[in-house]
Every structure is written in C-alpha cells, then in structure tokens.
Amino acid sequence: MTRVAAIDCGTNSIRLLIADRAEGALVDVVRRMEIVRLGQGVDRTGRLDPQALERTLAATRDYAAECRTHGVQALRFVATSATRDAENREEFFAGVREALGVEVEVITGEEEAALSFAGAVSILGAQDPAPNLVVDIGGGSTELVLGERQVDRAISLDIGSVRMTERHIRTDPPAPEQVAAARGDIGAALDRAADELDLSRVRTLVGVAGSVTTLTALALGLDAYRPEQINGARLSLEHVRAAAQALLTMSRQERGALAFMHTGRVDVIGAGALIWAEVVDRVAQAVADGGGHLDEVITSEHDILDGIALSV
C-alpha cells in the first residue's frame, strides 16, 4: 500500500486528494477543494492575475502542510487550461516547486480527458453499456472522452464555466441575447467535437466536476451538498434541462442562498450548467440519429483527481 497525493489545479479551483493506493484501488484519507479562480482574466489578458496567483499558491502551501501531516509518499501536481494559456506561468511553477518540491505538470487536453475518464468510469456497473462518454466541464475548458474501459478518442474544447461567463455574461441574471451568444460558442465547439468523435456510438453519458455535481444537487432537491447522493445519481434529460434553466434564470442572491452552492461557483454556475445541458442535448440527438436511445445521464464524483492519484 502506498500513500499518494494528487493535486488538480484548474481554472476555477484547486483540489487535493490524499489516498492509500493498493492493487489499483483508492481509499480516501483527505479530499479538499478551494475556489481560487487562477484563470481570472486569462482569456482576456493572456496572463495570470497577481492576486489569483497568490490565492492559488497560498492554497498550495496549505496542501503541502497537509501532505506532510499525513505522510504522503508520492505526489503528482497537474495543472490544466488556465496555466496552458498564461504567459507568466513560470511564476506559478516556481511557487509550486518551492512549496511542494515537485514540478507542475501542464497536461494537454487529451491527457486531461484520459485522467478524467479513468476516475469517472470507476463508478459504472455491468448494467451501464459501453461505449461511455465522459464529459469534464472545467472553468476554462471542457473535455470529452469516448471509450469503453480504455480511451478510444478524446477532445478538449475551449469552453468552460469561467471562460463563457467572462466572454458573454454581463447582467444578473443574463439577458436572453447573452445566453444565445454563449450557446452559439458552445454549439460551435460541439460541432468540432462531432467531427472528431462519433457521438452516435454513446450508450452511457457521464458528467463530472463542479458544474455537473452542483446542477445534480439542484435537480435532486438536496438541502446540502451530499456527495454520497450525488455520486452515481441518474437524471433524465428533462431534469438536466430544467435544472440548467433554473440556474440561468436565478439572481446571484438566489444562487448564493442554495445550501449546496459553493460560494466560489455562484458567479459561474449558470454558464457551466448551460454547457452541460447543451452537451446532453447534442449527444442525445446524435444517439437518436444513429438509431439508439439515451434517456438518462450519470453524475460521478470521481474524476480527474482520482485518475491522477491512480497514475502517481
């Protein structure tokens, strides 16, 4: 048995998993998540904002202390979309190196998708037919990966909850024309995905990460964020659409009052929910066009973080 740590630093959040790994399985010791918004403004400026950088490095130092406390033997720090895009990413790399003694691994969208796939499909059972499509909606990008128990094809799209919010959302709640503009961006990205992935093959659709899990909590009517109920939840397409529409039409105050809503997602959850609803509709239509039927989607609490821990 090896005690490992995985850190996933995305556009909106940084997350830590400390787990005992034995025979390809994980037993959780610590799971943490902080909203640091590292990608704040990157789409506009091409640089990491100094305050966002400091928030992220403060969380990294905190995670380093947690790793020492729990006797971590091996560690992997993975960074995704925001860091790939930033001109001053070397400042970030140096701060992480000083705090943890490891190098930041800036992975490609395809690598990100493969790690997400490994974590997400770990919850599926014999009743869930393949091929599986795993959709990981981040702050700066969305990964789609198609496969059975291994990856067949994957693609990374430059649509994410933070990126779509910064590009299109100007009012609270967003005006119809703002939603339409975001939907247009999402649709264009999904057109590209459809050129590279045969979406008609999908038989099980799995969504991961905060936009999907938060939408699921709303659809389930939860009175708090309850991972044990969210993980493995099955929602009809109608429930996904209704929850996305509700999040898009709520005011910031209404979203913030939801007991399961993380404060760091209040401003970007509408765009994240819109991305998920658009993906669900596009995949369902492709499956129907191919003679199949998709009437539910599955939410997984296990995602890229678990994939990183399994790969350490």
Side-chain angles (χ1 to χ4, degrees):
M1 184 174 69
T2 305
R3 180 155 290 182
V4 300
I7 298 176
D8 167 37
C9 186
T11 302
N12 198 42
S13 64
I14 185 169
R15 299 183 301 151
L16 168 70
L17 170 61
I18 299 175
D20 291 326
R21 189 185 65 203
E23 298 180 355
L26 298 173
V27 177
D28 287 12
V29 176
V30 172
R31 275 187 192 263
R32 289 185 52 184
M33 186 270 286
E34 275 70 41
I35 300 290
V36 292
R37 203 67 66 83
L38 178 62
Q40 174 185 325
V42 168
D43 191 51
R44 176 176 51 84
T45 67
R47 297 179 60 82
L48 298 171
D49 179 86
Q51 292 182 335
L53 185 58
E54 179 49 39
R55 287 194 300 268
T56 306
L57 290 176
T60 300
R61 292 189 289 269
D62 194 19
Y63 286 178
E66 192 92 68
C67 289
R68 289 191 294 270
T69 297
H70 290 280
V72 166
Q73 298 165 275
L75 167 68
R76 189 177 181 193
F77 189 113
V78 167
T80 52
S81 178
T83 315
R84 283 198 299 266
D85 299 340
E87 294 174 2
N88 58 336
R89 52 188 175 271
E90 288 297 332
E91 295 176 43
F92 175 55
F93 297 166
V96 171
R97 191 181 304 120
E98 181 180 356
L100 286 164
V102 299
E103 296 297 326
V104 175
E105 298 178 57
V106 182
I107 60 174
T108 66
E110 287 70 25
E111 291 173 303
E112 186 176 351
L115 289 167
S116 294
F117 186 83
V121 301
S122 65
I123 72 163
L124 299 180
Q127 77 276 18
D128 299 311
N132 312 305
L133 181 68
V134 173
V135 180
D136 183 346
I137 300 172
S141 64
T142 292
E143 280 61 53
L144 278 69
V145 55
L146 181 67
E148 299 201 11
R149 293 298 165 177
Q150 299 294 325
V151 174
D152 180 10
R153 296 292 300 275
I155 187 170
S156 179
L157 305 173
D158 284 334
I159 51 173
S161 60
V162 174
R163 198 181 294 267
M164 290 297 95
T165 299
E166 291 186 350
R167 280 186 188 173
H168 299 296
I169 306 304
R170 300 287 180 266
T171 60
D172 177 43
E177 59 271 20
Q178 295 168 18
V179 175
R183 187 173 275 122
D185 256 10
I186 297 164
L190 292 176
D191 288 343
R192 185 163 69 86
D195 288 340
E196 298 195 28
L197 303 178
D198 184 359
L199 299 178
S200 69
R201 295 177 54 210
V202 175
R203 292 299 175 266
T204 299
L205 177 57
V206 183
V208 301
S211 291
V212 176
T213 58
T214 302
L215 180 148
T216 302
L218 177 63
L220 294 175
L222 299 185
D223 60 355
Y225 194 90
R226 302 187 185 280
E228 70 282 0
Q229 291 179 248
I230 293 169
N231 190 45
R234 295 166 188 266
L235 299 179
S236 69
L237 276 56
E238 291 74 18
H239 279 123
V240 172
R241 294 183 193 113
Q245 183 63 20
L247 288 167
L248 276 168
T249 55
M250 288 179 185
S251 67
R252 189 184 194 285
Q253 183 177 4
E254 290 170 326
R255 295 191 303 273
L258 296 171
F260 49 78
M261 181 71 67
H262 191 290
T263 55
R265 296 201 192 282
V266 173
D267 293 329
V268 300
I269 187 60
L274 179 63
I275 294 168
W276 182 223
E278 291 294 300
V279 169
V280 168
D281 279 345
R282 178 66 68 95
V283 174
Q285 186 60 59
V287 171
D289 290 345
H293 183 64
L294 184 74
D295 58 5
E296 68 175 13
V297 298
I298 301 172
T299 300
S300 178
E301 281 276 341
H302 296 270
D303 55 17
I304 188 173
L305 197 58
D306 301 75
I308 296 166
L310 287 167
S311 73
V312 173

